[in-house]
Amino acid sequence: MTNKKHTPSYTAEFRTRGVRLFREHRSDYSSDSAAYRAIASKLGCSSFSLRDWCRRAARDAGELSGPTSEEKARIKALERENRELRQANEILKKASAYFAAAELDRPFRK
């Protein structure tokens, strides 16, 4: 049995507050890393989480290149739909092969 670590889920308001605190107090620190560590310890989350939230907010605002949250959600939905369509196509192929074989086994009628 594997022991999985519990990953806490943070509310959207909490993440927004963390991003706002980082942006407001970034100038108080010598580097981004120092700011992430200090602010994250005050919030009670990891510095990596705070960094990810800040990067996501920057991408959504157009400040960083990369897919926005909306684009990622759309890609995920399209991939799910594609997977479902492939499964349906596979089922139809197997069904048509089954019925074609059954048709060949049937005696010829006049």
Side-chain angles (χ1 to χ4, degrees):
M1 181 176 252
T2 60
N3 292 332
K4 286 182 115 180
K5 270 186 141 179
H6 173 69
T7 304
S9 57
Y10 299 103
T11 63
E13 294 83 19
F14 183 81
R15 292 189 297 263
T16 304
R17 180 173 168 238
V19 171
R20 182 180 48 78
L21 284 172
F22 174 78
R23 288 182 176 169
E24 289 174 357
H25 298 286
R26 166 58 185 95
S27 59
D28 299 343
Y29 300 95
S30 60
S31 68
D32 285 351
S33 297
Y36 289 133
R37 282 192 303 272
I39 295 169
S41 67
K42 292 176 185 173
L43 290 173
C45 65
S46 75
S47 60
F48 298 111
S49 296
L50 180 59
R51 183 193 65 197
D52 290 343
W53 301 338
C54 291
R55 286 185 179 172
R56 183 180 310 141
R59 275 194 307 271
D60 289 346
E63 299 165 4
L64 278 178
S65 63
T68 63
S69 297
E70 290 176 4
E71 291 170 340
K72 281 186 174 184
R74 178 160 167 70
I75 289 169
K76 189 174 182 179
L78 289 171
E79 287 174 345
R80 183 182 322 110
E81 182 182 0
N82 193 3
R83 185 173 50 254
E84 290 170 357
L85 290 171
R86 285 182 191 271
Q87 289 174 346
N89 198 18
E90 234 3 83
I91 291 169
L92 290 173
K93 281 181 185 178
K94 289 178 181 179
S96 66
Y98 172 79
F99 287 115
E103 185 69 26
L104 290 175
D105 291 341
R106 199 171 66 178
F108 181 71
R109 285 194 211 167
K110 284 190 179 183

